[in-house]
Structure formats: structure tokens, C-alpha cells
């Protein structure tokens, strides 16, 4: 079997297994269990199929495709199958172009330019959530394939605000519960994975946790030794600008010897923003911001009811807050956010405005923890997966907005960019544009309406929107139309599909007949 056949076999084997779920009540969950199988979960029923072949290169193709889809899921909460469908098309047609003599390096540049133009179109066409919060209900419902979950997630967002943090956990109870607490979310995670105390979730988690905030680089263990001895094994999270390598190794040795729960997190932000976020954290936990060589004082420690530190994020829930200081900070932020049309120099940039709105939400909003239960272990796991997907999709929509779904945005982007296309843009550029109707074709195939593809495509590119749940075309102004996709899902699906396609297309000339040259 030559390289092209090996790549195509791996691509088609995995893609054809999962794309049947697009637009249906099925959920595509790509992971490996102890038997190395891909699982497609449909309403609690698990359909397992062997996807790993004996051939190492076919196995490699499947693995990188799977990782691309999972990357979309982890960042956007949806789009697993769309990533697979787009990747299958780009790889299949890309291999054909290579066989026809198109230069891989030229095609790669053309693909990158096309993906960039599609991304810009989607962002320019996106609908902001701040003035359209009701769309979050539809986003959550579509991602989880459950309208009740959509309504539940939306009710939480209504209470904690658009910048609040929602976490999903498994529950030992049969019913699903939610706890909402004032809290803060920072976009920094643990410095090293030896700090993790929950290996299954790769996170540091602690209840009744002490907080130490250092606006400095920790140069030696002695900088924090007094606080570690004072706490006597109680959990501690240390926020600092940095820590030296030798100190980090000493801390690792100490933690391995004692089992003390300690986690180090870089202070979030840069410059003035970092200082503001440290002050916000100090107010929420009643800590003091100190320097590394400051004298030991137990009063410098803050306190939080619950802390969770993942690889990329830190969530602080509840605890000992300085309410007077919080009120002052909130007042300052509200003043900053006030628009003053008469004095241009006082107006904030969009980036600054978003930053201060996030601060305001951290200080006045909160963190919601959904504890998902079920009557059986399988049902509980299925529900938790649905809640996870819904929350990620809602967070993605809040971050970048939403677009009209049901294939509408991709098809109209294709139409708009085709009008501007020039031969000099290249066949790689056209390859990406041609791939944009592949998800819509699959939607119609799954709905048994593929014979109507040309008709529906013409209607969508004339401004109508399609809802395959009732097989009706709607005007975009019609309030009954409820199919929307987070902008990041549409973008990430294409970006990750094109990235894995470029990787696989690049190895075509490196592998031959299953062996390295």
C-alpha cells in the first residue's frame, strides 16, 4: 500500500465512523478506552468500533485526526464532527492536487491565506452576545442536544453574569444540582504538573485553602518557608511573578517527601493589569500583596473556600473577602467604564473595556459549580458530557460571538470569497473554499435530504436559514429560527482541520510503502 492509500484509508476509516452524528441527537466522543476503541454515544447507548489498524502509519493518521477534533472540542465545546468532515475533504482533495503536481509548499501558503480570510469573514459576520444573551440558550441546547440543559445553563449565566465561571463536576446523587458562589477566574494555571493532586483531571484542587500573593520572583525557599511551616500541611496556593528553577526543584523534593498540598501560579496579566488583578485577588481573599523578601507575617495570607488550578486556569470560590475594599474597587471600575464622548482621551479601547468588565464580573459575579448526577453510572457520565459540551460552547459564544448555523455561515462565506477569487490565489486557496460546503452536505445526508442540496444551498446563499429539526427555511429576522453556532466553533473546526491536513499532506513524500525512506 503506498503512502496516499495509507493516509486515505486512515482518514476515511475514522471520518466515516463519526460523521453520521452531525446534526443528529448523537454525540461524537473521540477517546481511547482500554480496548483502543472510538466511541459514539447516542442517547446513552454506546456504539464502539475498532479504529486502530495494525499498520503503524494508518494508526498515526487516525491519532492526529483524533487530536485535531479533540482540540476543537476542548476549546469550543462543539465541532468535533465538523473538524473531521473538513479534514477528510481537505486531505482527500489535497492529495489529488499533489498527485497532479501542485507544490506542497505553495499549497500550504495558499491554504493559510484562505483560512485567514474565512476566519475574518466569520468574525465580521458574528453576532455579539452582550445584547443577544438569549442566543446562549440555543447554543447550549444545540451543543448538548437537550433543550432543558440549554435553559438550565442559560439561567445560571443570567445569575452570575457573562463573565462568570461555570464548572461541571460529577455528583454522587441521582439528581443534578448547582452551587453558585462569588469567585474569581484567572487565566494562569499550575507552573509544573508535579503540583497536581488530582491526576485524573490534571488539576490542583483544595478546600479551605490559604492564598499567598507575591509581586516578585521567588529566589529561594526561604522566601516562603515561614508560611509553609505556619500552615503545617494545610493547602496553600502561591501566586508570584516567577520562581527560579533551583527553588522549583527544592519545592518538588519537599512536596514529594511531605505530601504537602502546595501549588504555584504565575500572576495573571502584565504591567498595570497584573497589579490590578493582584489587588482584586487580594480583596476577594483578604490577602496582602507582598514582595519576596518581605518579613514573615501570617496576616499576609488570604483564604478561599475552594481553589481549582488547571493547566490554563485558576478558579477561586468563596472565602474571606474584604467587602469594603471590593466596594471601592467596583466603584473605581464603574468609573473607568463610563463613556465620556466629550473627552476622547478618556475613552477605552475595546480590549481595555473587556478587561475591566471581566474584573467587574469577578468582583460582583461569581462561579457556578454544576454537580451532575444520574440514576446509573452510564447516564451520569452521558449527562456530564452533555453539560461539559454546553458550558464550553456557551463560553466560546460569550468570548467571540455566534453565527447563523445550519451551514448558513460557511456557505455564504464560500459565496463571498468565490466572488473575490483570482487564479493567482492558487488551487490551495480554492481547496479551502470548496471544503466549506462539506459539513452542509453531511447535514443533508444525515437528514436524508441530500437530493435537495442545490435547492437548499441556493436558498441559504439568498439569505434564508435552514432548520433541519423541522425541515423549514426561515428568514433571518424570524424569531422562530434558533440554530446558531459559536463563532469559535466554525473557526476552530476549519483551523484544526487545515492544520492536521497540512501535517498529513507534508508526509506524503516522506513515507512510501509503509516504511520510512
Amino acid at each position: 500500500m503506498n503512502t496516499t492509500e495509507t493516509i486515505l484509508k486512515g482518514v476515511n476509516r475514522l471520518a466515516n465512523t463519526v460523521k453520521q452524528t452531525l446534526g443528529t441527537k448523537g454525540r461524537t466522543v473521540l477517546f481511547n478506552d482500554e480496548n483502543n476503541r472510538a466511541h459514539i454515544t447516542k442517547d446513552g447507548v454506546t456504539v464502539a468500533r475498532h479504529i486502530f489498524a495494525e499498520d503503524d502509519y494508518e494508526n498515526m493518521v487516525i491519532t492526529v485526526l483524533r487530536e485535531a477534533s479533540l482540540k476543537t472540542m476542548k476549546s469550543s465545546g462543539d465541532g468535533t464532527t465538523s473538524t473531521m468532515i473538513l479534514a477528510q475533504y481537505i486531505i482527500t482533495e489535497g492529495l489529488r492536487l499533489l498527485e497532479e503536481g501542485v507544490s506542497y509548499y505553495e499549497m500550504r501558503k495558499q491554504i493559510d491565506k484562505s483560512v485567514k480570510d474565512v476566519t475574518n469573514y466569520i468574525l465580521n459576520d458574528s453576532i455579539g452576545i452582550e445584547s443577544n444573551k438569549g442566543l446562549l440558550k440555543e447554543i447550549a441546547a444545540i451543543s448538548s442536544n437537550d433543550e432543558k440543559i440549554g435553559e438550565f445553563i442559560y439561567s445560571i449565566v443570567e445569575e452570575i453574569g457573562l463573565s462568570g465561571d461555570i464548572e461541571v463536576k460529577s455528583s454522587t446523587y441521582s439528581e443534578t444540582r448547582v452551587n453558585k458562589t462569588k469567585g474569581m477566574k484567572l487565566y494562569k494555571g499550575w507552573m509544573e504538573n508535579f503540583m497536581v493532586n488530582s491526576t485524573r483531571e490534571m488539576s490542583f484542587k483544595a478546600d479551605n485553602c490559604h492564598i499567598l500573593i507575591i509581586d516578585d520572583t521567588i529566589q529561594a525557599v526561604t522566601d516562603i518557608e515561614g508560611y509553609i511551616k505556619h500552615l503545617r500541611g494545610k493547602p496553600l496556593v502561591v501566586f508570584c511573578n516567577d520562581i527560579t528553577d533551583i527553588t522549583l526543584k527544592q519545592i518538588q523534593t519537599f512536596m514529594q517527601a511531605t505530601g504537602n498540598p502546595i501549588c504555584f501560579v504565575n500572576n495573571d496579566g502584565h504591567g498595570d493589569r497584573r497589579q490590578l488583578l493582584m489587588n482584586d485577588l487580594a480583596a476577594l481573599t483578604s490577602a496582602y500583596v507582598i514582595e519576596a523578601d518581605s518579613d514573615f507575617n501570617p496576616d499576609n495570607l488570604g483564604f478561599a473556600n475552594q481553589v481549582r488550578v488547571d493547566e490554563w486556569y485558576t478558579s477561586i470560590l468563596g472565602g474571606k473577602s474584604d467587602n469594603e475594599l471590593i466596594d471601592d474597587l467596583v466603584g473605581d471600575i464603574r468609573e473607568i467604564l463610563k463613556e465620556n464622548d466629550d473627552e476622547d482621551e478618556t475613552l477605552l479601547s475595546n480590549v481595555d473595556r473587556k478587561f475591566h468588565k471581566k474584573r467587574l464580573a469577578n468582583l460582583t459575579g461569581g462561579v457556578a459549580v454544576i454537580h451532575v448526577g444520574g440514576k446509573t453510572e452510564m447516564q451520569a457520565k452521558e449527562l456530564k458530557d452533555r453539560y461539559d459540551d454546553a458550558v464550553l460552547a456557551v463560553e466560546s459564544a460569550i468570548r467571540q460571538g455566534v453565527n447563523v448555523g445550519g451551514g448558513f455561515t460557511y456557505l455564504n462565506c464560500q459565496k463571498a470569497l468565490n466572488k473575490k477569487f483570482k487564479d493567482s490565489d492558487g488551487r490551495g486557496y480554492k481547496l479551502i473554499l470548496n471544503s466549506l460546503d462539506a459539513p452542509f452536505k453531511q447535514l443533508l445526508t444525515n437528514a436524508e435530504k441530500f437530493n435537495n442540496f442545490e435547492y437548499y444551498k441556493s436558498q441559504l446563499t439568498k439569505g434564508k436559514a435552514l432548520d433541519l429539526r423541522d425541515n423549514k427555511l426561515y428568514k433571518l429576522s424570524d424569531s422562530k429560527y434558533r440554530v446558531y453556532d459559536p463563532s469559535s466553533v466554525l473557526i476552530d473546526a476549519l483551523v484544526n482541520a487545515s492544520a492536521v491536513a497540512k501535517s498529513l499532506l507534508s508526509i506524503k513524500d516522506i513515507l512510501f510503502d509503509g516504511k520510512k525512506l
Side-chain angles (χ1 to χ4, degrees):
M1 184 183 296
N2 63 34
T3 308
T4 298
E5 290 174 344
T6 301
I7 293 173
L8 284 175
K9 187 175 179 182
V11 169
N12 293 333
R13 193 164 191 175
L14 184 57
N16 293 336
T17 300
V18 302
K19 65 185 185 182
Q20 61 187 303
T21 62
L22 187 70
T24 71
K25 287 186 178 180
R27 295 180 58 258
T28 304
V29 184
L30 293 172
F31 63 95
N32 295 332
D33 67 359
E34 63 276 11
N35 297 314
N36 284 328
R37 295 181 293 182
H39 288 239
I40 301 173
T41 304
K42 291 186 176 180
D43 297 329
V45 179
T46 302
V47 180
R49 301 190 181 190
H50 289 279
I51 60 168
F52 280 81
E54 293 181 1
D55 187 289
D56 286 342
Y57 297 116
E58 186 179 331
N59 181 14
M60 178 198 69
V61 170
I62 291 170
T63 300
V64 295
L65 279 167
R66 172 183 170 275
E67 291 305 312
S69 290
L70 286 176
K71 188 175 180 182
T72 303
M73 173 61 73
K74 288 176 182 178
S75 63
S76 302
D78 207 346
T80 308
T81 312
S82 294
T83 303
M84 291 296 306
I85 292 168
L86 289 166
Q88 183 185 33
Y89 182 93
I90 297 168
I91 292 166
T92 302
E93 293 303 308
L95 286 169
R96 184 177 62 79
L97 292 180
L98 292 178
E99 294 289 345
E100 292 177 4
V102 175
S103 163
Y104 166 75
Y105 299 101
E106 288 300 315
M107 182 167 67
R108 182 188 181 97
K109 284 191 272 186
Q110 294 160 6
I111 286 174
D112 288 342
K113 184 177 185 301
S114 187
V115 170
K116 183 178 179 181
D117 288 348
V118 172
T119 297
N120 289 335
Y121 178 93
I122 292 170
L123 290 175
N124 290 333
D125 195 53
S126 68
I127 303 166
I129 286 298
E130 288 191 1
S131 56
N132 298 277
K133 284 197 296 184
L135 295 180
L136 293 177
K137 188 188 302 182
E138 313 305 334
I139 291 293
I142 290 170
S143 183
S144 63
N145 288 308
D146 190 317
E147 291 193 3
K148 289 183 178 179
I149 290 178
E151 292 173 358
F152 186 70
I153 299 293
Y154 177 67
S155 69
I156 294 174
V157 174
E158 281 275 88
E159 188 165 341
I160 68 173
L162 291 176
S163 296
D165 183 36
I166 304 176
E167 185 179 346
V168 181
K169 290 184 175 182
S170 296
S171 173
T172 55
Y173 297 97
S174 59
E175 70 273 13
T176 296
R177 305 176 178 182
V178 60
N179 294 327
K180 294 180 280 291
T181 316
K182 269 194 174 183
M184 184 176 191
K185 184 174 184 179
L186 298 168
Y187 290 85
K188 293 289 183 180
W190 39 257
M191 289 187 182
E192 297 288 344
N193 59 16
F194 72 78
M195 302 168 186
V196 165
N197 61 10
S198 175
T199 54
R200 185 173 178 271
E201 299 178 2
M202 286 304 292
S203 64
F204 173 90
K205 299 195 294 187
D207 295 331
N208 301 321
C209 185
H210 290 81
I211 306 294
L212 183 62
I213 308 171
I214 301 176
D215 184 14
D216 208 342
T217 295
I218 298 176
Q219 301 285 352
V221 175
T222 52
D223 293 341
I224 57 171
E225 188 175 24
Y227 297 98
I228 294 174
K229 288 181 178 179
H230 172 74
L231 292 175
R232 297 179 181 180
K234 294 176 182 177
L236 171 68
V237 174
V238 181
F239 292 88
C240 58
N241 295 347
D242 205 352
I243 184 170
T244 61
D245 290 340
I246 189 169
T247 305
L248 205 55
K249 289 178 181 178
Q250 290 171 345
I251 291 291
Q252 182 176 10
T253 302
F254 171 78
M255 288 176 62
Q256 289 172 344
T258 64
N260 282 21
I262 306 173
C263 187
F264 290 79
V265 181
N266 286 117
N267 286 318
D268 197 2
H270 299 279
D272 292 341
R273 289 189 179 187
R274 181 166 63 191
Q275 195 66 49
L276 289 169
L277 289 173
M278 281 192 293
N279 291 339
D280 293 348
L281 177 60
L284 284 169
T285 61
S286 288
Y288 285 91
V289 179
I290 63 173
E291 295 181 352
D293 58 359
S294 298
D295 292 336
F296 166 72
N297 184 344
D299 291 339
N300 291 332
L301 289 168
F303 183 82
N305 288 342
Q306 191 177 74
V307 177
R308 176 181 174 129
V309 185
D310 296 317
E311 185 175 1
W312 306 108
Y313 304 104
T314 297
S315 295
I316 312 289
L317 284 75
K320 184 181 175 184
S321 299
D322 186 333
N323 293 325
E324 186 176 343
L325 181 54
I326 288 176
D327 289 342
D328 289 342
L329 289 170
V330 168
D332 291 343
I333 296 170
R334 293 194 191 280
E335 284 296 320
I336 291 171
L337 291 174
K338 278 186 178 179
E339 292 186 1
N340 189 333
D341 296 330
D342 297 326
E343 299 181 30
D344 291 341
E345 66 272 13
T346 65
L347 295 178
L348 294 172
S349 69
N350 288 334
V351 174
D352 286 337
R353 187 171 296 280
K354 287 180 181 178
F355 169 72
H356 289 297
K357 282 187 176 180
K358 181 70 175 176
R359 288 183 61 211
L360 188 62
N362 279 333
L363 293 168
T364 61
V367 179
V369 181
I370 303 172
H371 300 272
V372 182
K375 294 180 180 178
T376 65
E377 185 178 347
M378 179 178 286
Q379 185 189 49
K381 185 184 182 306
E382 169 71 7
L383 275 174
K384 184 176 182 297
D385 285 342
R386 291 183 186 273
Y387 274 100
D388 278 330
D389 292 352
V391 168
L392 282 170
V394 163
E395 289 178 346
S396 298
I398 291 171
R399 186 169 63 249
Q400 286 189 300
V402 301
N403 293 80
V404 180
F408 177 94
T409 299
Y410 274 157
L411 290 178
N412 281 278
C413 175
Q414 182 188 66
K415 179 181 178 181
L417 294 182
N418 271 333
K419 288 181 178 179
K420 300 178 181 179
F421 177 77
K422 301 174 183 177
D423 290 340
S424 58
D425 289 329
R427 297 174 73 181
Y429 189 101
K430 191 72 170 179
L431 167 64
I432 296 299
L433 297 190
N434 290 341
S435 73
L436 296 179
D437 59 18
F440 184 61
K441 286 180 178 178
Q442 190 62 46
L443 279 170
L444 293 181
T445 298
N446 292 349
E448 299 181 351
K449 293 190 175 296
F450 183 75
N451 291 338
N452 297 324
F453 168 70
E454 292 298 338
Y455 168 71
Y456 281 129
K457 182 177 180 179
S458 68
Q459 292 299 303
L460 265 62
T461 52
K462 289 177 182 177
K464 293 286 185 68
L466 177 63
D467 188 341
L468 284 169
R469 291 176 296 187
D470 57 14
N471 299 318
K472 290 182 179 179
L473 288 161
Y474 291 87
K475 293 181 179 178
L476 292 180
S477 58
D478 195 326
S479 61
K480 292 182 180 180
Y481 184 74
R482 299 180 295 128
V483 182
Y484 293 89
D485 293 321
S487 303
S488 63
V489 169
L490 297 172
I491 293 169
D492 290 349
L494 181 62
V495 168
N496 293 328
S498 63
V500 73
K502 288 185 295 184
S503 296
L504 292 175
L505 292 173
S506 71
I507 67 170
K508 178 185 179 299
D509 296 325
I510 300 174
L511 306 177
F512 183 73
D513 289 337
K515 297 180 180 179
K516 289 184 179 179
L517 290 176

